Amino acid sequence: LLTENYHLNVQHDDLKEMLDSNKDSLKLEAMKRIVAMIARGKNASDLFPAVVKNVACKNIEVKKLVYVYLVRYAEEQQDLALLSISTFQRGLKDPNQLIRASALRVLSSIRVTIIVPIMMLAIKEAASDMSPYVRKTAAHAIPKLYSLDPEQKDQLIEVIEKLLADKTTLVAGSVVMAFEEVCPERIDLIHKNYRKLCNLLIDVEEWGQVVIINMLTRYARTQFLNPNINESLLEEGGGGEKTFYEKKVEVAALAKRKPYVMDPDHRLLLRNTKPLLQSRNAAVVMAVAQLYFHLAPKAEVGVIAKALVRLLRSHSEVQFVVLQNVATMTIKRRGMFEPYLKSFYIRSTDPTQIKVLKLEVLTNLANETNISTILREFQTYIKSMDKDFVAATIQAIGRCATNISEVRDTCLNGLVQLLSNRDELVVAESVVVIKKLLQMQPEKHSDIIKHMAKLTDNIQVPMARASILWLIGEYCEHVPKIAPDVLRKMAKSFTNEEDIVKLQIINLSAKLYLTNSKQTKLLTQYVLNLAKYDQNYDIRDRARFIRQLIVPTEKSGALSKYAKKLFLALKPAPVLESPFKDRDHFQLGSLSHLLNAKAGGYQELPDWPEAAPDPSVRNVEVKESVLLKTLLIGLIRKKNLPLTFSLSESDSASGSESGSGSEESGSGSESEESEEGSESEEEEEDEEEKDKKKKKKKELKKPVNHFSSPRPLQTIAPSSALKSYELLHRITGEGLQVEYCFSRQPFSPDANMVAVQMQFTNNATSDTKNLHMEDVKLQSGMRVKEFPEIETSTAVMGIDFCDSTQAANFQLCTHTKKFFVSIQPPVGELMRPIFLTENEFKKEQGQLMGMNEITEKLTLDAKCRNEHTIVQRVTSAANLSRVPCGSDKECRFAGRTVTSGSLVLVTVATKEEGAAQLTVNCEKMVIGTMLVKDILLALTQ
């Protein structure tokens, strides 16, 4: 450790000298190294004095990096940061928008109350800045200032109101986040901006979309009527023990109600969020799903089911949250998930928490139609080695039996069979569930009670023994001959039993004393005497209480007369309910919903209003000048005329529609903004017009028939190392033989597709003409770029396998015949190589440890113990690139999946005597599992 600190100090001294240099190049190099250190998690706080001196550097690149450093350490080194506050204030006036934004970011990171007025002034000025990027930074600074000094709330609300009127997509998400942090109760600020936010939503960055959708969900619950009001009233009216006449009167009253008409603004929100169900960001899809669940009419909620099932299949990292929400939805909206029942079947590779949630969903979806299928699944799950999962499955069977009376006897018999299982935990859980089921119809199942009584000799799990004793005591009248014998055995072992079992033995003795005192009087006294001197005070107190209650004496009170009513009263059967029942009062996807308890900072989901608030509050007056300019721009664009005017600065700053387009185009990336910030809007628009004209000329040169087949792609000569597969045998193909290989070359028309090269050979005497594809059948998400009708012997086609090994099926047609064929890729061909340095490889591997890592030990054959052979065999099994490695006992490889770009890292570490270890780190565990099998086969064959 001392050596490491010494080297760090030496390195820091070197960096300090570079920062004190007069050369900007040395300063830039030093700042790059320092920022890289911070990115790797190393402490660079002792460099603060040397860095802060360069805050006034004229070099833009150095200044940017200095600001990045200061944002990280300004809060820790407040005194030194305050010395440079005048420099930050000058930075707020810098011509470069990135410097202005960085200066504001640093200023808001200094957590000192004395500079609150300076921060407030800076935020107000930045909120009126011409650059949307600076306005976005001002929105980010608002919550920081509010947490530092809550008394500034009123002034900050004014700034938020101004930024909410901004029409650029870059600002929208950030200002809504500031609104949620500072003044979420000020719904009136949203009224005028509601329609604008709905229309901008599709173009806002993804995390901004999540914030806006969550805010609009709560807003809609306060401003619109419940679209399911009639259905919910009918459900409430139909329940209870009301007479037929009362129900008829309620239905008639509902019929007289004014029919529900959805507010156009309510419909606008639903319509504009629906396309976001196709988003690649799981959080966005979840946000839209909860919005539809809380706001949409019952008939329209079903659209979210397919999106959530797709998330479940494609994003393993969000399965837990998705299943939490689906489990809540299935309680009230069961029908929308029934078509996707098989998507919730449990895999052996699922973690226990995922298995339990899938069980919950399957139980909620169970009905008379699908219960037989679900019970067959449950029978398979009971054989699992995961004991917690088996216990949850048995509980699920009990819930199914409770909810569906038709299968109650079947479930009960199945659970009784489990009582002979060798595993005590399975037997114990079965006993507990059987106990709950028997309470519903005990008189029909006396044989089962007798069978369970016999198990007291074998079952040792305390909860199970206690449940059996409770059952025998509760229904001792149904088993009058067996119950006293059970008490006799329990009295013998009383002192060795667990406390929960002792309490039930005392209860059993009391009930038998009251119903069969001739046979059990002495046994009861014996048990009570043992309990009187037990170490547990609960047991001692219970024994004294029961003795006074059931054995009348002169001192006994009036309660002894009612002993039978107290002990033998009919007890209602337990209701087996889902733990997700009534959890939907929390907003889905929130932390409170996940915990089923109100978390700090949670904002309640409002109840629907009884009467619709005034919709005119969302009407916005459009200035005549702005309207005229908007109409004029629309006319110019329609006629393809050159745009020769721009809006005034005031219109642009206020975020008018025509100004927002130019602002958005200028805020695509920070580097572009800094380099092109000096160009005028007219020059940018002229360039756009030129580009449009060039595109039109190119389109005119294209053939008129857009449905003609594309030209044949350039073929790639197959390498001898590439394995060929048979697509069509010459006998099956009546002389036509087709082979294919995965060329491992980029497929130029679409980077997300795998290039498949096909070789055609005609062994027949007659010519084969018009080779083409028809009737392509693909799994969901897969795509094919078909090769055109060809006359040559080779062709290249592109297939997007969607990172799966599902086959692409199609018909290969000639001018006379059609042949059904399929192409199924090995998992190694679903990747493309990437080039990483050794440090980059180690960093990425460190982030993919744990659940994203698979390790297998193997023994290498004598021929495969040299580095060259290992590399050859691994790269033949998977399209990966070699990564440099300092050790001669390790071979490293890297790649990404073609469709999703998921990272794949492979390490083969050799040891003595041919022993080796294969490690695969992969963002998609399904890909990693299959890849391990293929590489193991390649290395050991």
Side-chain angles (χ1 to χ4, degrees), residues 157-214:
I157 289 176
E158 293 177 7
V159 181
I160 290 173
E161 186 174 10
K162 182 175 184 177
L163 289 173
L164 279 171
D166 199 305
K167 294 187 178 179
T168 54
T169 56
L170 196 64
V171 179
S174 302
V175 68
V176 170
M177 174 59 82
F179 169 82
E180 292 283 78
E181 291 285 337
V182 178
C183 53
E185 73 284 353
R186 288 290 303 274
I187 292 293
D188 57 295
L189 299 179
I190 305 298
H191 290 325
K192 300 290 184 184
N193 303 290
Y194 172 81
R195 292 168 188 164
K196 180 201 69 178
L197 289 172
C198 289
N199 291 321
L200 285 181
L201 191 58
I202 195 72
D203 297 318
V204 175
E205 46 89 21
E206 293 169 334
W207 297 112
Q209 289 174 342
V210 174
V211 174
I212 294 173
I213 291 170
N214 287 330

Side-chain angles (χ1 to χ4, degrees), residues 856-875:
E856 293 288 346
K857 293 182 179 179
L858 67 152
T859 303
L860 297 174
D861 187 72
K863 299 177 181 178
C864 190
R865 294 183 184 178
N866 61 79
E867 182 180 353
H868 176 74
T869 309
I870 292 173
V871 172
Q872 188 178 17
R873 292 194 179 186
V874 172
T875 53

